Amino acid sequence: ECLPAIHKGLKDADSWRRWEAVNALARVNDESSAAGLRGVLASSEKRDRREAINSLGRIPGDEAYNVLAGAVDDRDPGVRFRVCMALGKRGDRRALKVLTERRAVEQDKQVLEYLAKALEKLQ
């Protein structure tokens, strides 16, 4: 029952409300939320984008996986390391290819650290 209100909160003008909506979706774990979180990743708000990855990491299903896999090349290393962490926790072996390809071009030390941990969990 709360999902429509939370999804609406993803587009709220108030940054605190947007962040709270993104954060709430991590607790609801509903597959229908992946599309809204994809929209958050398109925004310029760094804090919301990073929290969206944390929420996506807890949402089951292919759409959430696809959004995460697509964000592995994000411009923000804070997003990228969270993607690596989330993909490793999901345990979906499809992520091996995505993470291995990212490792070949990644230069950020923190991202490389999480990449290694995620690959270790998946192998």
Side-chain angles (χ1 to χ4, degrees), residues 1-22:
E1 291 179 24
C2 68
L3 276 174
I6 296 172
H7 288 168
K8 184 179 175 184
L10 293 174
K11 297 177 183 176
D12 199 280
D14 182 79
S15 66
W16 181 82
R17 286 188 181 132
R18 277 193 319 270
W19 184 86
E20 284 294 336
V22 171

Side-chain angles (χ1 to χ4, degrees), residues 31-113:
E31 290 183 50
S32 71
S33 300
L37 291 168
R38 180 189 304 267
V40 172
L41 288 175
S43 79
S44 61
E45 190 67 41
K46 187 184 290 190
R47 181 178 72 153
D48 293 351
R49 296 174 73 248
R50 290 176 176 183
E51 192 63 29
I53 296 300
N54 292 338
S55 295
L56 282 161
R58 294 185 173 117
I59 295 174
D62 286 339
E63 188 168 5
Y65 169 81
N66 291 334
V67 175
L68 287 167
V72 77
D73 295 321
D74 193 90
R75 66 189 177 275
D76 177 10
V79 167
R80 293 194 309 272
F81 95 74
R82 286 171 175 83
V83 167
C84 296
M85 186 171 56
L87 288 172
K89 285 182 182 179
R90 287 176 69 89
D92 189 327
R93 294 189 46 83
R94 292 180 293 176
L96 281 169
K97 182 178 186 282
V98 171
L99 295 173
T100 300
E101 289 173 357
R102 183 67 216 173
R103 182 175 57 186
V105 296
E106 184 58 58
Q107 296 181 6
D108 185 272
K109 288 181 183 182
Q110 186 177 30
V111 177
L112 285 167
E113 178 184 329

